[in-house]
Amino acid sequence: MQRPPPRAHPCCVTARPDGGGHAPDDATARVLARATASAVEALGGYAGGVYLRCGTPDLLRLAVATGMPGRLFQPWWRMQVHRPYPVAEAHRSGQSVHLPDEEAAMRRFPQLMAGLPFTFASLYEPVAAGRERFGVLFVLRPATPGIPVEAVDRERLRASADGLAAELAALTAASGNPVRWDGDPVDITPSRPPPGGGAREAVDRLAQAVLAVDRAGRIGFVNSAARELLAPGAPPPRGRMLWEALPWLGHPAYADHFRGVFLSPVPVRFPARRGPGPDGDWVGVGLYPGPDGVTVTIDAAEGPAYAPGTAARPDRGPGPSADRASALYRPVALAIALTEAVTARQVSAVVTEELLPAFGGRQLAIYVLNERHLHLAWETGFPKGFLDRFDGVSLDVRLPGVETLTSGRPLFFESMGHLAAAYPGIPLDTDVGARAFLPLIASGRPVGSCILGFDTPRDFSPEERTVLTALAGLIGQALERARRYDSEAALARGLQSALLPHRLPVLEHVDTVGRYLPGTLGMDVGGDWYDVIATRAGLLALVIGDVQGHGVAAAATMGQLRSAVRAFALSGNTPDEVVRMTNELLIDLDPGQFASCCYIELDPDSGRALAVRAGHPQPLLRHPGGRTEVLDLPGGLVLGIDGGGDYPVTELHLERGAVLALYTDGLVETPGTDIDEGVERLRAALAAARPSPLTETADRLVAEAGGTADRPDDIALLLATRTGGHP
């Protein structure tokens, strides 16, 4: 394979002007910039970047990029690690992903190519040091159809990723904090000399407007004809984003053309409407990509010849190619956004963010079908309480939201008068506006209906009706998928609820209280559990544990471990024997999971306690006077790792009035912060809480330490206090 020779790639790091973001850490940004520039140069690429982990679990964010205008690629700034994209697979699997051409990319990652259907090659390399995974380094370069990526290029990319990983590991060691990226991407701007004066003079003589932009989308040169396109008194264009200097080129209908030339070397020509509204003049736009940027030409549409069917004139009515491009753009943009939505609420939020702005709508309502009745799932823009009267309506009622679903046909009303005439007596929220009622159908099955509202009367062109109908199908599919996901999550939650103790034993001299809260960011439940076991010897076993992972498998493993611990405890085994035998059982079951656990055997009368810890967070102890400490219990490995693991026993004394707190990491872990900060926050909350009644103490700890609206993990808490017996 003939690869272009490496180009000099001096660069500087600047905040992306159109993203509004900045580097969370300048040192990290510089390290990433050097690694990206080096990798792009070594592999003869024209673009590249680095994705890093962020404060949100299972999410990568684009940290730095070069050769790509940020505004065009914003849908890919955030990447869920479980999505079917090459960046996610490289991070998830720890393996390289090499896509030499669009055929290979389409075969392995059709979802990627649905949004970026262009001719380019892409290489992705995980950035990891030991067991620490930082993110993914990627390079884009010209496609080599049918020719796999050469071994020398694989080694160069691997070396660049290894070098970057070493530098990120050093930054982590120096700061004591893991490298995270929670801002917008930072642009790496190549520094290149301006073109020669003779060439500038030659281009200035052309009647055709010519602009040169770099690979970040910034204007570096305009000829005399191009300067005439700018508004009178506009600031000098050099250094400005192309879409700031010529806003009409920023129409979503043209975004795919620009994405194409920044990913592929194939030139593009298309008609565009200059100026807002249907009265704008039509011009011809040419985009000619190169290694260092793109040349943009603009001339009158009547001048150059266009391929049949591509010319557009203002007097030909609806349906020019720009409108068709827009019609294609909207479903693709909405489809990409819907792939990240897993709940019905998230689907509705995506529709609000993507659908309403695209069509200028102001009101949106989504109804879902359940047992032949439509129930309101989401609304925005309508007067408060107006839609309540329609909630739960039967499919026998004559309403447009019902009939669009039963007939499978969308209904469009260009004014509220038309709506009132078609449905006499129907309550209206306003006298002015327009409405579209769309059926939500997935695989031939009715799912619900969608109402799209506009503040002013308007026509719905044939193209808009077609696009809205197609979008309704996408929404229906996403809602049906979300409902299935909700059902599976409900099954897992039901399983976990059945396996957790419904009541704790009541014993003399000891009060116990347990709390469990599922995570709110994801739909899968975790494997957190707690238990209180009254043994035959009159002792009390306090147990808390956390199975790695989420979902039905984690809940099932949790149930097995809880039953095993209870059986071993009731058989009269010592605390270290209980934990050791539970570890052996988990290894024997081999569910592909491991678990942490803390087991404390308490004598309610004397207060003597024996504690064993297997990779679990340290318990807290609040003394009767209010002093609260983090217990320093020696411990062994988490369960399920080493069949010969050793679990030391620590003896404690629990005074009367003292409170012992066992918890899982979901109560003390916050994305982007050290777990020690969460433990200290919990310790302070326990110290400030009233020790009695214990139920109020538990509620306060959950509310103050871990009761945030967005919890990425489950929470389990177990409190115990001695109320009598010996001091």
Side-chain angles (χ1 to χ4, degrees):
M1 179 190 73
Q2 294 298 319
R3 183 170 49 81
R7 294 181 285 109
H9 202 107
C11 67
C12 60
V13 179
T14 60
R16 191 182 293 281
D18 55 316
H22 60 280
D25 181 272
D26 289 339
T28 303
R30 288 192 294 271
V31 167
L32 299 175
R34 287 196 303 269
T36 301
S38 174
V40 170
E41 178 182 352
L43 278 83
Y46 50 72
V50 178
Y51 282 85
L52 288 182
R53 296 174 302 175
C54 65
T56 302
D58 296 333
L59 182 69
L60 300 175
R61 295 183 70 109
L62 182 61
V64 301
T66 184
M68 302 185 301
R71 71 184 304 274
L72 295 178
F73 297 90
Q74 192 165 359
W76 296 272
W77 283 7
R78 296 158 57 92
M79 187 68 62
Q80 293 286 343
V81 299
H82 300 297
R83 302 306 304 169
Y85 286 92
V87 169
E89 179 170 308
H91 181 74
R92 186 174 62 248
S93 67
Q95 302 295 318
S96 307
V97 176
H98 302 125
L99 306 173
D101 54 33
E102 67 274 21
E103 182 179 346
M106 177 62 75
R107 185 171 58 252
R108 293 185 58 185
F109 303 98
Q111 196 166 357
L112 170 71
M113 300 310 291
L116 297 172
F118 311 111
T119 302
F120 66 99
S122 55
L123 298 85
Y124 307 84
E125 193 70 38
V127 179
R131 300 181 62 182
E132 183 75 8
R133 295 184 181 182
F134 296 103
V136 176
L137 170 68
F138 71 94
V139 172
L140 309 181
R141 67 182 193 179
T144 56
I147 303 176
V149 178
E150 292 181 341
V152 63
D153 285 339
R154 297 169 185 254
E155 294 170 2
R156 286 169 176 165
L157 184 60
R158 180 68 261 165
S160 296
D162 287 344
L164 174 58
E167 292 194 78
L168 294 179
L171 289 176
T172 298
S175 66
N177 297 315
V179 173
R180 297 286 189 272
W181 193 276
D182 287 292
D184 289 343
V186 166
D187 193 22
I188 305 173
T189 307
S191 303
R192 308 192 188 280
R200 180 180 294 110
E201 292 173 0
V203 177
D204 254 345
R205 301 186 188 103
L206 297 176
Q208 184 184 52
V210 179
L211 305 90
V213 300
D214 64 17
R215 296 202 65 87
R218 281 184 288 269
I219 298 174
F221 167 78
V222 295
N223 69 347
S224 299
R227 285 191 289 272
E228 296 178 4
L229 292 174
L230 303 175
R238 185 178 178 84
R240 297 176 65 196
M241 297 297 293
L242 174 66
W243 303 278
E244 294 174 357
L246 300 173
W248 50 273
L249 277 179
H251 192 283
Y254 314 136
D256 263 357
H257 297 309
F258 282 98
R259 270 192 286 268
V261 295
F262 279 99
L263 292 177
S264 169
V266 180
V268 173
R269 289 184 62 80
F270 62 93
R273 194 189 295 273
R274 176 189 171 194
D279 297 329
D281 297 331
W282 285 97
V283 295
V285 179
L287 306 177
Y288 301 89
D292 301 331
V294 176
T295 298
V296 182
T297 65
I298 303 172
D299 55 7
E302 290 77 10
Y306 287 86
T310 62
R313 297 177 59 92
D315 57 351
R316 291 184 181 174
S321 62
D323 289 341
R324 291 196 297 272
S326 179
L328 291 173
Y329 170 82
R330 288 164 176 165
V332 169
L334 181 61
I336 293 172
L338 285 175
T339 60
E340 306 299 333
V342 295
T343 69
R345 184 175 182 84
Q346 290 172 346
V347 170
S348 301
V350 166
V351 175
T352 301
E353 296 168 0
E354 296 287 342
L355 191 61
L356 286 183
F359 290 89
R362 293 293 182 269
Q363 297 88 28
L364 176 74
I366 293 180
Y367 287 83
V368 295
L369 180 64
N370 186 23
E371 296 182 353
R372 292 189 57 81
H373 288 77
L374 286 174
H375 299 275
L376 183 63
W378 180 273
E379 66 167 305
T380 183
F382 288 94
K384 185 176 181 180
F386 173 76
L387 295 179
D388 292 348
R389 71 194 76 188
F390 303 109
D391 193 13
V393 297
S394 167
L395 294 186
D396 300 327
V397 178
R398 187 174 185 269
L399 289 170
V402 173
E403 293 193 352
T404 189
L405 182 61
T406 55
S407 67
R409 294 183 295 103
L411 302 175
F412 299 95
F413 300 96
E414 298 170 348
S415 70
M416 300 305 289
H418 290 168
L419 175 58
Y423 294 87
I426 185 175
L428 301 177
D429 60 302
T430 182
D431 296 329
V432 179
R435 292 287 185 271
F437 296 84
L438 308 173
L440 304 181
I441 299 174
S443 302
R445 298 178 57 241
V447 176
S449 58
C450 175
I451 305 174
L452 190 61
F454 304 85
D455 287 343
T456 59
R458 57 160 296 167
D459 295 333
F460 294 94
S461 69
E463 288 77 14
E464 286 182 318
R465 295 177 185 234
T466 300
V467 171
L468 283 171
T469 303
L471 295 180
L474 291 176
I475 298 167
Q477 294 283 355
L479 276 177
E480 180 67 12
R481 184 179 67 248
R483 290 172 64 176
R484 289 197 303 268
Y485 200 88
D486 289 346
S487 298
E488 294 171 1
L491 172 63
R493 294 193 189 282
L495 174 61
Q496 186 174 53
S497 176
L499 294 174
L500 286 171
H502 294 284
R503 60 179 179 271
L504 301 180
V506 178
L507 294 179
E508 188 178 10
H509 305 323
V510 175
D511 286 344
T512 57
V513 171
R515 292 287 185 269
Y516 171 78
L517 278 75
T520 57
L521 285 182
M523 290 301 297
D524 287 338
V525 298
D528 297 22
W529 94 91
Y530 62 87
D531 205 354
V532 178
I533 308 166
T535 68
R536 296 172 184 172
L539 304 178
L540 198 66
L542 308 171
V543 191
I544 197 160
D546 185 1
V547 177
Q548 170 263 342
H550 294 82
V552 175
T557 302
M558 176 270 287
Q560 291 174 311
L561 292 184
R562 177 176 174 249
S563 298
V565 170
R566 176 171 284 270
F568 295 146
L570 291 174
S571 299
N573 294 289
T574 61
D576 57 320
E577 290 174 337
V578 170
V579 175
R580 178 177 54 79
M581 288 188 292
T582 304
N583 175 52
E584 293 172 353
L585 175 66
L586 183 58
I587 292 175
D588 186 56
L589 291 173
D590 191 22
Q593 295 168 314
F594 55 86
S596 66
C597 178
C598 186
Y599 182 100
I600 299 180
E601 186 180 76
L602 173 66
D603 183 343
D605 186 53
S606 67
R608 179 175 179 267
L610 299 177
V612 177
R613 191 173 64 88
H616 201 79
Q618 298 280 9
L620 301 180
L621 180 61
R622 185 187 191 276
H623 296 276
R627 182 176 66 87
T628 304
E629 62 177 319
V630 180
L631 296 178
D632 187 14
L633 305 181
L637 292 173
V638 293
L639 307 176
I641 298 295
D642 181 8
D646 182 42
Y647 297 97
V649 179
T650 304
E651 184 171 342
L652 306 171
H653 179 69
L654 197 64
E655 305 169 83
R656 277 191 314 209
V659 178
L660 183 66
L662 308 179
Y663 54 91
T664 56
D665 55 11
L667 188 60
V668 293
E669 277 192 328
T670 302
T673 63
D674 192 271
I675 190 173
D676 290 340
E677 297 180 19
V679 173
E680 174 56 28
R681 184 173 62 249
L682 180 62
R683 188 205 63 79
L686 179 59
R690 293 174 53 192
S692 179
L694 203 59
T695 53
E696 292 185 6
T697 304
D699 291 338
R700 176 170 179 172
L701 295 185
V702 169
E704 293 187 7
T708 59
D710 295 331
R711 291 188 305 276
D713 201 359
D714 295 11
I715 288 174
L717 172 68
L718 178 61
L719 300 181
T721 183
R722 287 186 64 222
T723 58
H726 298 295

